[in-house]
Amino acid sequence: MVLTGAGMSAESGLRTFREMGGLWEEYDVTEVATPEAWERDPELVQRFYNERRKQLLESEPNKGHRGLAGLEKYFDVQIITQNVDDLHERAGNSKVLHLHGELRKARSSADPNLVYEIEGWELKMGDSCEKGSQLRPHVVWFGEPVPAMVEAAQIASEADIFVVVGSSLNVYPAAGLIGYAPQNASLWLIDPENVMAPVNRHVEIIQEKAGKGVELLTRRLLDKYGK
Ligand code: APR
């Protein structure tokens, strides 16, 4: 299983959140990514996500995404991503679970089960679900539950190999998933910075960007597992 974060898509030109120049330096997270923000100023929230969606439509999967898709030749790969982009799917990974939602989808603000694909980049005030309620971005905001965690924890608890790529591991519950990996699973972390995994166990560190890091990881896994 591969847990990915914003760093996974950095080489596709999408900005991370917590680094210098990251999105949370330019925007106040409480003004664009919380249920209270949506109550207070939905136009601002829509603008923020419309801008992200526009950029996503102009972006392509990078070498790291393609490398993880290539791993499916040798392993049963399950991606669990904190990213709301669709670059893993576009790179060709067949099993992708989104923990924090999907930027190219909208959902009803009255009924969370009504989820729709967004045509193009723009979601507007006045766009509504079939029951007439305003559509909101299909993303998990701070302070909201993470419904996919139950499935993610189950997958993590059955992993033989657990890899983290491009996440500062600051945001829970996602960051805690590594703690669910079985004792005999091998743990790997790819990040150009010195990220600490919240486990008291050996973690193989590949201190590289995603593109180069996934290439090195693939070589080492093929060696280790004799493929
Ligand atoms: N390749 C790999 N990792 C990279 C690269 C790169 N090219 N560039 C930067 N990174 C690393 C950074 O060093 C950092 O450790 O990516 C990580 C990004 O961390 P964050 O910005 O905190 O992103 P993430 O961990 O995904 O954030 C989690 O926070 O705001 C929320 O919902 C949002 O899903 C997001 C969650």
Side-chain angles (χ1 to χ4, degrees):
M1 105 153 232
V2 189
L3 174 67
T4 64
M8 183 79 229
S9 300
E11 288 161 276
S12 294
L14 300 178
R15 284 157 73 187
T16 60
F17 295 100
R18 292 177 183 75
E19 293 176 282
M20 239 182 0
L23 280 167
W24 297 152
E25 204 174 82
E26 185 178 339
Y27 298 89
D28 181 344
V29 59
T30 60
E31 283 176 11
V32 293
T34 60
E36 294 75 22
W38 177 248
E39 285 292 312
R40 200 169 41 232
D41 192 348
E43 279 90 356
L44 176 65
V45 174
Q46 298 277 40
R47 264 207 309 282
F48 175 74
Y49 287 100
N50 283 342
E51 199 179 306
R52 310 269 77 70
R53 199 173 299 112
K54 203 174 196 173
Q55 284 172 8
L56 174 57
L57 293 179
E58 290 159 2
S59 305
E60 297 290 338
N62 63 53
K63 184 180 163 196
H65 294 106
R66 291 194 299 274
L68 292 179
L71 271 183
E72 290 198 4
K73 276 191 279 195
Y74 310 101
F75 299 98
D76 177 14
V77 182
Q78 170 75 56
I79 307 281
I80 299 187
T81 187
Q82 299 169 84
N83 298 343
V84 293
D85 66 51
D86 61 348
L87 298 179
H88 286 301
E89 288 92 338
R90 281 200 255 155
N93 273 101
S94 55
K95 295 203 254 175
V96 183
L97 179 67
H98 284 270
L99 277 178
H100 295 162
E102 293 173 77
L103 194 50
R104 294 183 68 179
K105 293 184 179 167
R107 77 163 176 267
S108 162
S109 47
D111 180 350
N113 295 314
L114 297 176
V115 175
Y116 307 87
E117 302 271 343
I118 300 172
E119 294 289 331
W121 60 271
E122 199 177 14
L123 187 61
K124 295 196 272 298
M125 297 314 293
D127 290 346
S128 53
C129 74
E130 64 217 53
K131 293 181 177 168
S133 296
Q134 175 64 44
L135 290 176
R136 57 164 276 182
H138 182 47
V139 298
V140 173
W141 287 324
F142 284 92
E144 293 191 310
V146 184
M149 258 312 277
V150 177
E151 188 182 349
Q154 180 63 36
I155 294 165
S157 70
E158 292 168 2
D160 301 308
I161 303 168
F162 190 114
V163 184
V164 182
V165 187
S167 176
S168 64
L169 297 177
N170 264 302
V171 173
Y172 283 79
L177 278 174
I178 194 167
Y180 287 84
Q183 279 304 318
N184 60 355
S186 66
L187 310 181
W188 304 76
L189 201 152
I190 300 173
D191 200 290
E193 297 299 326
N194 188 15
V195 171
M196 292 300 287
V199 278
N200 199 8
R201 290 172 51 185
H202 178 68
V203 181
E204 294 283 345
I205 304 292
I206 299 179
Q207 200 165 354
E208 297 283 354
K209 292 182 176 177
K212 175 85 181 153
V214 171
E215 185 184 337
L216 293 175
L217 170 80
T218 304
R219 256 191 256 149
R220 290 182 60 185
L221 290 180
L222 294 185
D223 261 5
K224 184 175 160 88
Y225 294 89
K227 304 248 183 186

